[in-house]
Amino acid sequence: MTGSDEPNSFQWRAHVDEQFDAIHESLRALHQRQTLILELLTPEEREGPSLDDLLARIVTLIADQRPVLRRIDHTTGASLDLLEGRTPRSHPGSTGEESAEE
């Protein structure tokens, strides 16, 4: 009995080793693919402004446009007042009574 069980035990062990080797190879291939994807997604060091510098510049440009945006907002509001039959609002800062009219 002992002699007949040992070959089955060796065969079973060999089968398990083959399965572990296959799993190990699959995990190694997945690791290589993951490494490649991370390398492709990671930005390279290059010359020029950083993302933070670009965002700071955009914020500055938008802040510089605030007077123009306020003028557009006022013009739009005055046009809507005329279209709806109301007295058009005065230019902001011209009389200081803008909040009293609203």
Side-chain angles (χ1 to χ4, degrees):
M1 229 190 229
T2 317
S4 65
D5 287 338
E6 285 186 33
N8 289 336
S9 157
F10 287 126
Q11 290 174 351
W12 178 81
R13 182 66 181 168
H15 176 70
V16 169
D17 287 342
E18 288 175 13
Q19 295 299 314
F20 279 137
D21 288 343
I23 291 171
H24 176 58
E25 182 61 28
S26 295
L27 289 174
R28 188 187 63 73
L30 285 172
H31 181 302
Q32 286 179 339
R33 289 181 187 148
Q34 180 184 21
T35 302
L36 178 64
I37 290 170
L38 288 175
E39 287 174 3
L40 292 172
L41 293 177
T42 304
E44 298 176 6
E45 291 293 324
R46 54 180 120 166
E47 295 180 16
S50 68
L51 180 61
D52 290 339
D53 294 337
L54 292 173
L55 291 174
R57 181 68 180 135
I58 289 172
V59 168
T60 303
L61 289 172
I62 290 172
D64 291 345
Q65 297 301 316
R66 184 172 290 156
V68 174
L69 294 174
R70 284 187 182 176
R71 181 176 293 150
I72 291 170
D73 182 48
H74 172 72
T75 304
T76 304
S79 297
L80 288 175
D81 287 343
L82 288 172
L83 288 173
E84 294 174 1
R86 293 187 299 231
T87 305
R89 60 188 79 186
S90 62
H91 187 66
S94 63
T95 62
E97 298 177 9
E98 182 177 344
S99 58
E101 290 181 35
E102 295 178 354

